[in-house]
Amino acid sequence: MLEKLIIQKTLRVPVSTGAAGDGTPVARQLDAALLDVGFSASRALLEHVGALAPGPAMDLAVTVVAAVRELVGDHVQHNAYFIGFPDDVPDTVEFWTDRLRAAVLTGGGTATEAQLREAVTSGGVNLLDLPGYGTYQHTYAELLAAHDDLVAAAGDRVTLLRLGDTAEVEATRLYLALAGSVTPHGEADLAILGELAVACADGPQPAEIPVRENRAVLNGIRLVLGRPLVAVDTTTDVLRLACQVSDGDPSLATPTRFRAFRRPERRTLLATLDQVVAASPAKLGDVARYAERWKRLGERLHPHEYAQWPHAQQVFAVARGERRVPNLAGRAEAAIRFGAVAPAASVLSAAPGLLLRSADRLLRLASAAERTTVVDVVAGALGSASGRVLLSLREHVDNRLTPASARMYASRSRNSWVGPDERPPLPAELVAELSALLDAEIAARLPEPERPLLVDPEVLDVALPLTGKAAEGGFAVLPRGSRASVSGELLRFFTYWRQSSRRTDHDLSVLLLDDGFHSAGQVSWTNYRHDGVVHSGDITDAKNGATEFIDVPLTLRGHYVVPQVNIYAGESFDEVAESMFGYQTRTRDQRGAPFDARTVRARSHLRGRGRVALPMIFARNNDGWQAVWLHLYLRGMPSFNRVEGNTFTTADRVRALVERRYLTMAYLIDRWRTKAEVTMWDGRLPDEPVTYVGIEAPEGLPTGSETYTLDRLSELIPG
């Protein structure tokens, strides 16, 4: 439902167009139901529900509650293997011995306690064959009956839902924001954009679509619906579009198996290609990079049948190697091979984004005499590059004064590579010069605020959302590198998965690291307890869904707490019907069922291509604990992944990310101080309209205020 999607994405509830009446009892029920899952309705929302007839009021209330329950992971039943968790969890070996004893007795055999323990510790026992291992021995209702109701605490989360406009207006607003975004989206937001593109195909369209993957999504819908394509200005745009409508990868990171195209679709694609090449023949230079994919696409489009579009036929001639067209990158590489670094920079100046992404390499290779020329060329390109590229380069140079302890590269699919940083550092005076140039250009692009800025201090440590690829979809999910303070005395991690077609075993584990990033212990299905950390028990089959929990008291001795989800057997994160990770915070004496939505601080999807998920870490500093978002996946093994097997690779990535300096919202706010009055939010409502920037907006801001919260922070990135 469109309304449900809007609520989950914006925390705004579209107004109902149902008949008026007395829905006051429904409004009271809605308020109570929302509080049970950690949400509250604004006064305007409750008044709106109360003014509807009972039928429309109930329909709206059901939609709202269903949307927020799914948002925090409360739409499924989170059972635990050990019914008393976190109490009554046995010693790991004792539990395995007990299961083996049951197997021996069931078979009519006998064995001493020593023989049973020897069989378990020797590793010669298949746990999956033991009676009752890995499957729930009680129902969800029995689990709830074994626990008291949740003891409310002052720190429990309460998230505010606001009343919006009609569903059509809200959908159009969200569509224009997503389609016109200056930053790439993650998979979840691209899926939302696709749904909205269908509903908004005949409505207002964004003036610009800067991100090419967004163009592919929109044009994929328009191609199928027979609408004119928009914003196609390179040959690669057409290739992305063909991948998108073939259910492939429009980012072109992985190959796509192209589907058969209908004749009208073939004509549209070839005519568009012809127009692009006719307008700028130099754009044929991009074809060779994806030559194999163009050849596969040509097999589906049959360009030889359409003589009226000769320029489109040239694309496939280049792909087949019948014609060579040099591109900028090739010409620049040739110049670099001959030692002509300054001329290479001049060549790349025709593509400002490519030049700035190559700036570090050019400056490292340039001689002392050439360096000034390269800096001048880079400075000349700043005004033509996108704001996202400028901010990326600013963050990059901030990390180039000294070699990193480990250099990490994270791909668009959130897989990562780690190796030694063998690059010589850039001179301090060069870093200072580049930083000053970038700061000035970025500040000049920020819009002049019409109102004073009111900033929630909690948002200052959020990493700038330069790409949605560095995050998962979900609730209260922050970009990679973001930090958030952690309250409470106890962390509770949870992972839930539901298999599609075959037995699947995902394992929640915790790796503990000391301040030198060395292992300080682990808790997993092979070790239920360590230093107060407790595992809820191993589930090995998720036909109807399964959940594993780990409790971590924040008094433990480790410096870094690294939750991870390992695929031991079965379907990957991309194959399962559903999978998620999240964390709750509680006080030590706060009782209740293992899962309660009111204590959920964040929940993210798990949809990466690796076999080990590293969603986030928790780091201790002088002021307490902070959550630091990772959004990484390790390739892992095809099966039997365990925390013991990836300790070193995990520690390397944790160290690389923790030690990296990310540009945060604090940087952007500092650039704004020269343009507007900036005040930190202290809980008091202002008297005049403001532009509020924070994780969530408080209720009661003066009429006319503008709010930029978590779902809109990317809109603050300059174009």
Side-chain angles (χ1 to χ4, degrees), residues 509-563:
S509 307
V510 160
L511 174 65
L512 304 175
L513 301 175
D514 62 20
D515 56 1
F517 300 95
H518 303 116
S519 176
Q522 60 90 6
V523 170
S524 66
W525 67 273
T526 65
N527 186 40
Y528 287 155
R529 294 178 176 274
H530 178 84
D531 195 19
V533 184
V534 184
H535 194 286
S536 67
D538 186 24
I539 304 295
T540 62
D541 195 325
K543 181 178 180 180
N544 299 313
T547 305
E548 292 184 7
F549 300 91
I550 292 181
D551 269 13
V552 180
L554 293 180
T555 54
L556 83 169
R557 292 187 290 272
H559 201 83
Y560 299 100
V561 176
V562 188

Side-chain angles (χ1 to χ4, degrees), residues 190 194 197 209 211-254 256-262 264-276 290 293-294 297 300-301 316:
L190 283 176
I209 309 173
V211 178
R212 297 190 181 275
E213 285 182 48
N214 294 355
R215 299 181 190 182
V217 172
L218 267 59
N219 282 326
I221 300 298
R222 301 181 73 83
L223 181 69
V224 173
L225 296 178
R227 305 291 198 278
L229 304 184
V230 295
V232 177
D233 58 12
T234 70
T235 56
T236 309
D237 282 339
V238 179
L239 184 60
R240 293 181 191 275
L241 168 56
C243 292
Q244 173 68 27
V245 297
S246 299
D247 292 328
D249 178 12
S251 74
L252 305 180
T254 57
T256 293
R257 184 182 182 88
F258 295 107
R259 66 167 173 83
F261 295 93
R262 296 180 291 115
E265 294 173 338
R266 297 204 303 270
R267 294 174 65 88
T268 298
L269 292 171
L270 290 170
T272 304
L273 262 184
D274 192 79
Q275 293 169 6
V276 169
Y290 301 107
R293 298 180 210 189
W294 279 114
L297 180 58
R300 295 293 191 179
L301 297 184
F316 300 96

Side-chain angles (χ1 to χ4, degrees), residues 488-491 532 552-556 586-591:
E489 301 168 322
L490 182 75
L491 285 173
V552 180
L554 293 180
T555 54
L556 83 169
R586 300 195 180 193
T587 61
R588 291 300 296 266
D589 58 353
Q590 196 172 17
R591 299 297 178 179

Side-chain angles (χ1 to χ4, degrees), residues 328-585:
L328 285 175
R331 289 163 53 198
E333 283 297 324
I336 290 173
R337 283 197 298 271
F338 283 104
V341 177
S346 298
V347 169
L348 291 175
S349 64
L354 183 58
L355 170 64
L356 297 188
R357 292 185 182 97
S358 307
D360 187 311
R361 182 186 179 209
L362 293 171
L363 290 168
R364 281 185 282 118
L365 295 176
S367 64
E370 289 181 307
R371 183 169 290 171
T372 300
T373 302
V374 173
V375 171
D376 289 342
V377 174
V378 168
L382 297 182
S384 303
S386 70
R388 185 170 68 91
V389 172
L390 298 179
L391 289 164
S392 296
L393 181 57
R394 181 63 176 84
E395 180 177 287
H396 176 84
V397 298
D398 202 31
N399 287 274
R400 292 290 286 116
L401 285 171
T402 57
S405 59
R407 187 181 179 189
M408 184 180 76
Y409 169 78
S411 71
R412 294 179 178 180
S413 59
R414 297 181 294 280
N415 294 120
S416 58
W417 171 88
V418 172
D421 187 1
E422 298 175 345
R423 302 166 299 174
L426 295 178
E429 63 275 10
L430 178 58
V431 169
E433 181 180 5
L434 288 173
S435 298
L437 290 170
L438 289 162
D439 289 346
E441 179 63 31
I442 291 166
R445 294 197 190 188
L446 294 175
E448 296 285 347
E450 299 177 0
R451 297 164 290 269
L453 262 65
L454 182 60
V455 180
D456 178 4
E458 290 291 324
V459 83
L460 296 178
D461 286 333
V462 174
L464 291 181
L466 301 180
T467 173
K469 308 291 184 184
E472 298 271 14
F475 170 71
V477 177
L478 302 180
R480 179 182 299 129
S482 298
R483 294 173 178 262
S485 59
V486 176
S487 59
E489 301 168 322
L490 182 75
L491 285 173
R492 177 167 293 172
F493 304 130
F494 64 91
T495 190
Y496 171 90
W497 73 101
R498 178 167 54 86
Q499 63 205 43
S500 294
S501 58
R502 56 195 171 108
R503 183 170 184 165
T504 297
D505 181 5
H506 290 187
D507 292 320
L508 179 64
S509 307
V510 160
L511 174 65
L512 304 175
L513 301 175
D514 62 20
D515 56 1
F517 300 95
H518 303 116
S519 176
Q522 60 90 6
V523 170
S524 66
W525 67 273
T526 65
N527 186 40
Y528 287 155
R529 294 178 176 274
H530 178 84
D531 195 19
V533 184
V534 184
H535 194 286
S536 67
D538 186 24
I539 304 295
T540 62
D541 195 325
K543 181 178 180 180
N544 299 313
T547 305
E548 292 184 7
F549 300 91
I550 292 181
D551 269 13
V552 180
L554 293 180
T555 54
L556 83 169
R557 292 187 290 272
H559 201 83
Y560 299 100
V561 176
V562 188
Q564 58 181 250
V565 182
N566 293 268
I567 298 178
Y568 190 79
E571 298 166 348
S572 68
F573 298 115
D574 283 341
E575 294 172 327
V576 291
E578 185 176 6
S579 68
M580 69 178 82
F581 167 87
Y583 79 94
Q584 309 167 63
T585 57

Side-chain angles (χ1 to χ4, degrees), residues 595-609:
F595 181 91
D596 192 287
R598 287 167 287 183
T599 63
V600 173
R601 296 294 178 175
R603 181 199 70 91
S604 68
H605 302 311
L606 294 180
R607 284 299 185 192
R609 295 182 183 140

